[in-house]
Each structure stands twice: as C-alpha cells, then as structure tokens.
Amino acid sequence: PQLHYPPHFMKGSIIQLSNGELKRVEDLQTDDFVQSAEISSDLKIDSSTVVKIEFNPDHSTAILGFVVGEHKVQVTVEATLEHPFFVFGQGWSSCEPDRSLHRYGLDCQKLSVGDVCISLTHKDVQ
Amino acid sequence: VPVFPWHALVPFLTNTGPP
C-alpha cells in the first residue's frame, strides 16, 4: 500500500488555531482543538473511542476500529503504526510510539483500546 | 516556514448528520 506520512506531524511544525494563534505541534493541548472547533463555523469535534487495534506488520500499518460521536457510528480505518492520534486529556498517541518518535520526532503515548480520540465532523447545516 | 491549519491534524471519521 502507498503509505502517507503527513509533514505536519514533524516536531516543530507550526500549527494555526482558529483564533489565529500559532503553536508547535508538540505543544498542542486538548483545549486548543476544543476552542478551535467552537470558533469554527463549520467544524465540530467528535469523540471517537478506540474499540479495536489489529496490527498488520507486513504493511507497517494497523486496522483501527472506532465508535464515533453521539450516534456511535462504527468506523474502521487503516493507519500507519506511527500515525499520531490526539487522545482527550492525554495528547498525541500512536500504535508504536517509538516509530512516531523516529519518523516525526514527536513524543507519543501508546494508543490503547478505550482511548477517546479527537475527530472532526461538519456541523449540521440548518 | 509552512503553517498548517489545526483541522489537518485530526481525522474526519464520519460525514455530517445522523446516519
């Protein structure tokens, strides 16, 4: 598979919040995402609970199962082992923190079943 | 120096509205 390593996870990357404030990716906090979504006119935050992590070492990926948002939608995604997800109150977390550190220089916690991640959806357009 | 928007860092896992 064609694996994708987004540059914005590289330690030191500059991230702009909704209020215009600039922060380094490694310094982001839960509130930064929550407040940015509140200011945003069309995006809102969903809580996505990790319910499954299936390692796929041949591809350097993992199959992740999430239960997403108030409607508990079941979603399955394939992500690289080093891909950082932002866990409420915990920060950046991945399936293989050592690989995240090596790839991005970004300190990550170990992502585990039961962790609640920040994801986005579009606000209901009235 | 590139500046990335905050919403690029977290995934969109569902589309809008209830199923």
Side-chain angles (χ1 to χ4, degrees):
Chain A
Q2 186 67 33
L3 299 182
H4 179 53
Y5 301 106
H8 46 247
F9 289 121
M10 296 297 289
K11 186 175 182 178
S13 292
I14 306 299
I15 310 300
Q16 184 163 40
L17 307 181
S18 279
N19 60 7
E21 184 184 352
L22 299 179
K23 270 193 155 180
R24 296 188 184 284
V25 65
E26 63 269 21
D27 298 333
L28 289 171
Q29 305 290 322
T30 300
D31 278 349
D32 295 319
F33 289 103
V34 170
Q35 284 158 22
S36 286
E38 277 166 11
I39 296 173
S40 168
S41 57
D42 63 338
L43 299 176
K44 72 174 181 174
I45 282 193
D46 261 339
S47 299
S48 299
T49 304
V50 180
V51 294
K52 178 183 78 169
I53 300 177
E54 246 174 53
F55 284 83
N56 195 352
D58 303 342
H59 295 170
S60 302
T61 63
I63 307 295
L64 298 163
F66 290 99
V67 169
V68 183
E70 57 203 278
H71 305 294
K72 304 265 185 267
V73 178
Q74 305 256 354
V75 175
T76 300
V77 298
E78 184 173 16
T80 60
L81 294 174
E82 52 263 81
H83 187 88
F85 292 88
F86 202 93
V87 175
F88 279 93
Q90 175 173 296
W92 294 115
S93 307
S94 69
C95 295
E96 292 273 6
D98 294 343
R99 290 178 70 127
S100 305
L101 186 60
H102 179 70
R103 167 82 59 186
Y104 299 114
L106 188 66
D107 272 323
C108 287
Q109 305 286 316
K110 175 82 170 176
L111 187 68
S112 310
V113 169
D115 283 349
V116 182
C117 300
I118 292 179
S119 66
L120 291 177
T121 191
H122 291 283
K123 284 183 178 171
D124 299 332
V125 177
Q126 299 308 325
Chain B
V1 175
V3 176
F4 302 96
W6 65 279
H7 50 73
L9 274 68
V10 286
F12 283 77
L13 293 179
T14 60
N15 48 27
T16 56

